[in-house]
Amino acid sequence: MTQQTHEPETHDPETTEPPTTEAERYGPAPHGPGSVATTTTATAATAVTTATAVTTATAVTTNVPTATAAPAPVTKPAPGRDARRPGPAAPPFPPLAEPRPLGEHRVWPRTFHDRLTAPLPGLKALARFAREGAVRPGPEGLTDISRLPCAPAPLPRVDTRTLAVTWAGHASWIVRIGGLTVLTDPVWSRRILGTPARITPVGVPWESLPRIDAVVISHNHYDHLDAPTLRQLPRATPVFVPAGLARWFRRRRFTCVTELDWWEGAELAGVRFDFVPAHHWSKRTLRDTCHSLWGGWILTDTAGQRLYFAGDTGYGHWFSRIGRRYPGIDLALMPIGAYDPRWWLRDVHCDPEEAVRATLDVGARRMAPMHWGTFVLSAEPVLEPLTRVRAAWEKEGLERADLWDLPVGASKVLE
């Protein structure tokens, strides 16, 4: 679990963002027959300057009338929820890129180290971790395993206008949107490499799933990319993956793999899938550190219903930018666990308070916590993420009904 530094460099962007607020930018590459994805590296001096500018630009998205419109009456916002709640959705800024073709074969840089937003740990940090870093909670932190919320139930009935989510555990969701059933980072295995077995069962048995129309993958870590689970899917299942990861799927004979760069999108049966940045990294073997990209996904149906799956991420400047490009997010699936020790994991995993802040930054109306209560990946007590996220939500003065803190196996339908 490690980290990343500055914003991506520009590779022939289709959209341009104002230099005063978007000093470093990643725009999607133009596409067409024989297109090649390329990356141009910024100088170190530019990276430092822009990183400083970006850090200070963390304003929450607001929706302002155009210059020709009459100004609305000024009212003092109530404290808490009303002061920070998103208003009506503004147009995306900058406009979204044209969708890329499904299953397109592309050429990428050998490494995406330039996309890191914090440096990976060096020898000094590794030595400190070996000396003092706890990777598992003590016995007292495991005493609440029996109290972890788990309530498997049948999936809700839906139609093409429904947005519904079911939490299978960790970062695995069954998302119903625009008439499609989409799996996020599906991990149905009892164990993953390097961790103890799951502490809660999978929320939905594999045999109870409806037909899967698509899969989205946030990055290649073993708790998000699980080969035994993916082997159970038909090889014609459309899969949306980060840049550089299609080869892994094609080696396993998946035939419709669409890999995207940050801020790029593709469409399937009227639902748009956009890949967005995250503060994280990638690694699956000793020799492939950051050889594929990492990020989150925005899913938007034809009616404008919009869901944000954050994947794995630390807190940082990307969230406000995502909110500007994708206004009107109805629900954010946000990671809240695997954050302790903080000095080791801060750059790549949000803690519960940061997850609430990130939800506000992207302008989401609701938040569903994830990435906790399934695998023991770090040192915090197993029930602590839930209690802290509830307290943080209340402290912000947000509506309790908008925190979808689902038990494993439970579902919620957007009314």
Side-chain angles (χ1 to χ4, degrees):
M1 306 179 197
T2 341
Q3 32 270 60
Q4 331 117 289
T5 74
H6 66 288
E7 262 186 64
E9 291 60 318
T10 340
H11 52 286
D12 301 324
E14 290 179 342
T15 57
T16 304
E17 303 183 39
T20 53
T21 58
E22 307 288 337
E24 292 182 301
R25 61 193 184 276
Y26 257 95
H31 59 274
S35 65
V36 175
T38 60
T39 308
T40 305
T41 306
T43 63
T46 304
V48 172
T49 304
T50 52
T52 304
V54 165
T55 304
T56 60
T58 54
V60 177
T61 303
T62 56
N63 303 301
V64 183
T66 61
T68 57
V74 177
T75 57
K76 184 177 179 180
R81 174 178 59 86
D82 294 335
R84 302 193 65 180
R85 244 336 179 200
F93 178 79
L96 302 184
E98 287 296 313
R100 298 196 70 96
L102 295 176
E104 180 183 21
H105 285 247
R106 305 175 69 181
V107 178
W108 300 101
R110 187 174 184 276
T111 177
F112 292 92
H113 274 88
D114 59 316
R115 308 297 184 91
L116 294 168
T117 47
L120 299 177
L123 291 177
K124 186 179 292 187
L126 292 170
R128 178 182 174 186
F129 182 77
R131 189 170 60 248
E132 63 182 65
V135 294
R136 302 286 183 269
E140 66 285 353
L142 299 172
T143 55
D144 288 326
I145 286 178
S146 62
R147 297 178 56 206
L148 291 172
C150 190
L155 298 179
R157 297 177 66 87
V158 299
D159 58 30
T160 57
R161 298 167 295 178
T162 304
L163 173 57
V165 293
T166 303
W167 190 34
H170 201 53
S172 302
W173 294 85
I174 300 104
V175 176
R176 327 287 280 286
I177 183 170
L180 299 183
T181 298
V182 181
L183 295 184
T184 70
D185 289 358
V187 179
W188 260 248
S189 295
R190 182 171 175 268
R191 283 183 184 275
I192 55 173
L193 186 67
T195 69
R198 319 174 69 107
I199 56 175
T200 50
V202 179
V204 181
W206 187 263
E207 57 275 12
S208 299
L209 291 175
R211 188 190 68 157
I212 303 304
D213 299 299
V215 173
V216 298
I217 301 293
S218 64
H219 64 299
N220 71 354
H221 289 161
Y222 282 87
D223 58 322
H224 295 259
L225 179 62
D226 183 51
T229 299
L230 293 166
R231 277 199 295 268
Q232 301 182 68
L233 288 168
R235 295 305 185 267
T237 304
V239 183
F240 296 86
V241 304
L245 198 53
R247 181 183 301 178
W248 189 94
F249 281 87
R250 289 178 181 136
R251 283 201 306 263
R252 288 156 180 80
R253 301 184 180 180
F254 282 86
T255 59
C256 185
V257 185
T258 303
E259 54 183 346
L260 298 175
D261 202 338
W262 290 345
W263 310 124
E264 291 183 338
E267 288 186 358
L268 176 68
V271 175
R272 179 166 172 131
F273 294 71
D274 285 90
F275 190 51
V276 295
H279 300 272
H280 206 63
W281 68 307
S282 70
K283 184 181 180 71
R284 198 165 177 88
T285 70
L286 294 175
R287 303 178 61 183
D288 69 349
T289 302
C290 297
H291 284 194
S292 61
L293 201 48
W294 51 89
W297 291 92
I298 301 280
L299 275 56
T300 310
D301 68 11
T302 54
Q305 294 186 113
R306 180 165 280 169
L307 175 140
Y308 170 43
F309 168 63
D312 235 355
T313 182
Y315 180 75
H317 64 277
W318 284 130
F319 295 111
S320 59
R321 298 190 182 197
I322 291 167
R324 286 200 298 274
R325 288 206 187 217
Y326 303 94
I329 294 172
D330 293 291
L331 174 64
L333 309 179
M334 196 67 67
I336 65 168
Y339 51 79
D340 190 32
R342 208 72 199 107
W343 69 267
W344 177 252
L345 294 168
R346 175 180 287 109
D347 293 324
V348 294
H349 287 162
C350 289
D351 65 23
E353 293 77 17
E354 290 170 335
V356 171
R357 199 179 318 148
T359 300
L360 294 171
D361 288 352
V362 300
R365 297 179 175 91
R366 302 163 192 85
M367 170 183 164
M370 65 172 183
H371 205 272
W372 76 281
T374 307
F375 297 108
V376 179
L377 301 175
S378 56
E380 72 270 8
V382 293
L383 200 56
E384 182 181 279
L386 180 62
T387 57
R388 282 178 58 174
V389 78
R390 286 173 173 172
W393 195 261
E394 182 180 6
K395 185 177 180 180
E396 290 290 347
L398 302 170
E399 291 285 356
R400 181 62 182 85
D402 291 338
L403 179 63
W404 290 13
D405 48 346
L406 301 179
V408 174
S411 303
K412 190 100 172 172
V413 178
L414 183 64
E415 302 294 342

